[in-house]
Amino acid sequence: IQVREGKASNVTEVKYAKAGDWDWHSLNIGKVQEGNIVDDRLSFIIHDGTNDRQIFYCDMSKHPKSFNECTRVTRKLESGGYELGHSPRIDEDDKNRLIYYIDDSDPQTFVEVRFEEGKEPQYKEYVIDHRMQPDKVKGDIMIYASSFGYSFISCWYHFDKNKSYCPTKPWSVTGA
């Protein structure tokens, strides 16, 4: 959870505890964005002091004392900076799998990352024809929001078919 020292305070700290034990630990970091928890895995986005929109993935069962003990998911670019991550989501059926969108990517790309104990993360990229915001990943299906004009529509992606499904004219029936 994110804890503040009072209503007027700008000091934020991220703390966690195992349910039932309530022995609180800190990740020694301020505010995080787009947090996602599945079982004992946590993903979030931070500004790391130099790079914006950096995704981290943590195994909370190892009781990390800092976000630096977690895995940085966003990859280093040839230019020296890092990818800009967006909407990281841990698979609800496989806590060792995470999906995220690369913000401002050309071509539009989302990434599947698999984490195996003692090994480097394995990355697989998917090129799509529209912007997306992953909302939920469960096995072979990902639900996401996609922009349609100035609004968002809900779509889904089937990993086993490597295909997106979105309403073609979502507001044509209502006349909006």
Side-chain angles (χ1 to χ4, degrees), residues 28-87:
N28 290 315
I29 189 171
K31 185 178 179 181
V32 298
Q33 299 172 338
E34 300 185 36
N36 183 228
I37 298 173
V38 172
D39 195 20
D40 57 1
R41 299 302 195 267
L42 167 70
S43 68
F44 56 86
I45 291 180
I46 62 167
H47 186 290
D48 69 1
T50 305
N51 302 285
D52 196 18
R53 305 205 59 78
Q54 296 305 290
I55 298 173
F56 285 81
Y57 171 87
C58 303
D59 179 346
M60 304 309 284
S61 70
K62 294 181 178 179
H63 304 290
K65 294 176 179 54
S66 165
F67 74 95
N68 288 315
E69 293 178 21
C70 301
T71 302
R72 181 191 296 258
V73 177
T74 39
R75 298 168 291 180
K76 193 163 192 156
L77 302 170
E78 290 179 12
S79 64
Y82 283 83
E83 293 173 326
L84 298 176
H86 191 54
S87 301

